[in-house]
Every structure is written in structure tokens, then in C-alpha cells.
């Protein structure tokens, strides 16, 4: 998932693997003396993702490069391992400050961090409703059908909808630039507003091809709204009181959070 301007306060669990392990034999403290990754190389490697590679720097964690990319006026970073075979998305968190860190802070046009918004301004006409459409509790979810975190979270939302009778869950398609196929899937979801198509999209199954110009305008409006309100990654939740939360939660936690609002 291509997180635009990774500066929302969130915690992302990073999985360790032998792929990222460093062999200390014969290596000094300066990893760049042995490992290089040019902008040209990065552009070739990431050509299928769309966007333009603007810069490559050593990542804040060893064993990886941080790549700054831009598409449609939006910027974000992804991480490539030294073997140049794996890509990672997400936030790198400093455990001392619990704040995101990035090698590209000076280069990124940082958005003002927003912690809440007026829920009356959420473009509900560009959303699909799960749960009870007339529910007293309302949860707004900005999500990307090709985001692996969103895919996992979608299952929790379905559980929440089944176990809580008074919650309306507004799914706002918010395709990230890192997932070029997500844009058309988001359009397809909005054209039919079918929960079955929504499920298929998150399951990685084929969905109908979008055919209406109106759906393009709807998805563009969602992206514009998200950018204007500091929403840069998925999934992002907006609670009934307008509080913005980055990252998914399990169904039981969501239920308790909604009961408190």
C-alpha cells in the first residue's frame, strides 16, 4: 500500500525475516560502501507501480533503501531490500518517541497532521454501506481494495456488521497510488455499490470493469477529500465524533470504541 506522506501517527508491525538480515562479516558501518541503488535502477524496478522515482536514500533501518515516489502530485515512500527483490510499505516507528521516521523528511511536502474532521463533510455519496444503513453509530473507513492491511481489516468489519445491529459502516474507496489496479476496482465498487463486489475485490477476485465517468469523479473526490483532511494511508478510520485513527482494529475493539462515542 503506497502510503502518501507517512506522517500519520500509527503503529505498523514490521515482520523480520532472513531476507533483511545482515551478514556482518566483511561489512563496515557504512552499508552504502557495498550496497547501492540508483534512481535509474529504482525506476526500472518500480515501473509497474506507476509514478516517478524522485530520490533514493538509505532507510532508517539497515538492510533497506527508502524510495521517494510521486504520482498525480502526491508523494510517498516505499522500502526496497538490499537484494532488490522485496518491497515493503508502512511506517518506520522510533520506539523511543513512538513517532514515524523517514530519510526523506526534508524532501516531502508534509501535510498538516489532522487528528479529527467534521463527519458531516465525509462524501457519503461516494461510499458503500455495510451493516445497518440506519444505524445510530456511524463508522467511516477509507480503504484500498489492493491494500493487504485493508483486506485483513475487511474481515473484521464484516464481523462487526454481523455482531452489532446499530452500526452503519461507510466504506469510502481510497485507492493509493502504489496500487495502480486499485483505482478501477474502487470505481467498480462505486458503480454497483454491491457488498458482493466489495467482498470480491478484497478477496482478489475479478470485479466488473468500470464503464461510467461518474465513478471516476467519485473516486477522485474521495482522494481529494482524503488529501485535504490529512488522510494519506489505508485503512484510516473516522469515528462518530470525527476522531481519525490510522490502521485497523479487531471487531471487538471497534465495538467497544463505538459504544464509548
Amino acid at each position: 500500500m503506497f502510503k502518501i506522506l507517512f506522517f500519520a501517527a500509527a503503529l505498523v508491525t514490521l515482520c523480520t525475516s532472513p531476507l533483511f538480515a545482515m551478514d556482518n562479516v566483511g561489512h563496515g558501518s557504512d552499508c552504502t560502501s557495498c550496497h547501492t541503488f540508483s534512481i535509474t535502477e529504482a525506476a526500472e524496478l518500480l515501473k509497474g507501480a506507476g509514478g516517478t522515482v524522485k530520490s533514493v536514500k538509505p532507510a532508517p533501518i539497515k538492510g533497506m533503501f527508502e524510495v521517494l515516489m510521486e504520482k498525480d502530485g502526491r508523494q510517498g515512500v516505499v522500502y526496497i531490500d538490499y537484494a532488490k527483490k522485496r518491497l515493503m510499505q508502512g511506517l518506520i516507528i522510533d520506539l523511543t518517541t513512538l513517532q514515524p521516521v523517514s530519510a526523506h523528511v526534508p524532501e516531502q511536502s508534509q501535510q498538516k497532521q489532522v487528528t479529527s474532521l467534521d463527519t458531516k463533510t465525509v462524501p457519503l455519496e461516494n461510499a458503500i454501506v455495510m451493516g445497518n444503513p440506519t444505524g445510530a453509530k456511524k463508522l467511516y473507513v477509507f480503504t484500498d481494495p489492493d491494500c493487504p492491511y485493508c483486506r485483513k481489516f475487511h474481515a473484521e468489519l464484516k464481523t462487526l456488521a454481523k455482531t452489532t445491529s446499530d452500526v452503519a459502516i461507510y466504506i469510502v474507496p481510497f485507492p493509493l497510488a502504489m496500487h495502480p489496479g486499485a483505482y478501477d476496482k474502487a470505481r467498480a465498487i462505486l458503480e454497483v455499490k454491491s457488498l458482493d463486489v466489495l467482498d470480491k475485490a478484497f478477496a482478489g477476485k475479478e470485479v466488473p470493469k468500470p464503464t461510467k465517468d461518474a465513478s471516476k469523479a467519485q473516486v477522485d473526490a474521495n482522494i481529494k477529500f482524503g488529501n485535504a483532511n490529512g488522510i494519506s494511508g489505508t485503512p484510516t478510520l473516522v469515528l462518530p465524533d470525527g476522531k481519525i485513527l490510522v490502521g485497523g482494529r479487531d471487531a471487538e475493539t471497534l465495538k467497544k470504541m463505538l459504544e464509548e462515542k
Side-chain angles (χ1 to χ4, degrees):
M1 189 188 29
F2 185 61
K3 298 206 177 269
I4 309 302
L5 311 177
F6 297 109
F7 294 97
L11 296 178
V12 175
T13 302
L14 302 180
C15 299
T16 58
S17 92
L19 177 65
F20 301 124
M22 296 299 296
D23 181 357
N24 293 322
V25 179
H27 286 69
S29 58
D30 183 10
C31 296
T32 58
S33 62
C34 298
H35 303 280
T36 61
F37 194 32
S38 69
I39 291 179
T40 302
E41 284 184 284
E44 177 63 24
L45 188 64
L46 296 170
K47 62 183 179 181
T52 302
V53 174
K54 306 294 290 185
S55 173
V56 178
K57 291 186 177 184
I61 53 177
K62 288 186 177 181
M64 306 194 79
F65 299 101
E66 183 177 292
V67 182
L68 176 68
M69 298 185 69
E70 183 175 48
K71 183 177 182 181
D72 299 330
R74 297 181 292 161
Q75 292 185 337
V77 295
V78 296
Y79 300 93
I80 304 292
D81 71 300
Y82 278 175
K84 302 171 188 175
K85 293 183 179 296
R86 298 291 187 272
L87 178 148
M88 186 180 79
Q89 302 169 248
L91 298 171
I92 295 179
I93 303 295
D94 185 316
L95 289 177
T96 302
T97 63
L98 295 182
Q99 294 298 313
V101 293
S102 169
H104 282 96
V105 172
E107 288 86 347
Q108 296 193 69
S109 302
Q110 299 185 45
Q111 293 176 323
K112 180 180 179 181
Q113 185 171 324
V114 180
T115 58
S116 65
L117 57 79
D118 182 355
T119 57
K120 294 179 181 178
T121 66
V122 177
L124 300 185
E125 66 275 13
N126 304 332
I128 180 172
V129 185
M130 291 176 60
N132 181 358
T134 61
K137 300 290 186 180
K138 294 177 173 56
L139 178 66
Y140 311 88
V141 182
F142 289 76
T143 187
D144 178 324
D146 281 347
C147 164
Y149 304 107
C150 297
R151 184 171 298 154
K152 182 177 180 181
F153 183 50
H154 183 63
E156 295 296 331
L157 290 176
K158 292 180 69 174
T159 299
L160 177 67
K162 290 178 180 178
T163 58
T164 309
S165 61
D166 64 341
V167 174
I169 306 170
Y170 292 92
I171 305 297
V172 184
F174 188 74
L176 302 177
M178 188 56 196
H179 301 141
Y183 187 87
D184 279 353
K185 291 179 183 178
R187 288 182 59 192
I189 291 168
L190 290 179
E191 285 190 2
V192 297
K193 291 197 173 182
S194 161
L195 292 177
D196 180 59
V197 171
L198 184 69
D199 289 344
K200 286 181 178 178
F202 278 112
K205 298 179 180 179
E206 186 175 352
V207 298
K209 297 294 182 182
T211 60
K212 302 175 183 178
D213 290 339
S215 63
K216 183 179 186 301
Q218 287 180 299
V219 174
D220 289 346
N222 288 349
I223 293 172
K224 182 178 180 180
F225 178 86
N227 290 341
N229 287 277
I231 297 172
S232 58
T234 56
T236 292
L237 319 180
V238 181
L239 299 180
D241 62 357
K243 183 178 180 179
I244 298 173
L245 297 176
V246 180
R249 307 291 194 276
D250 63 80
E252 190 59 32
T253 298
L254 286 173
K255 184 176 181 179
K256 291 178 180 178
M257 293 171 68
L258 290 169
E259 289 173 349
E260 294 171 356
K261 301 301 179 181

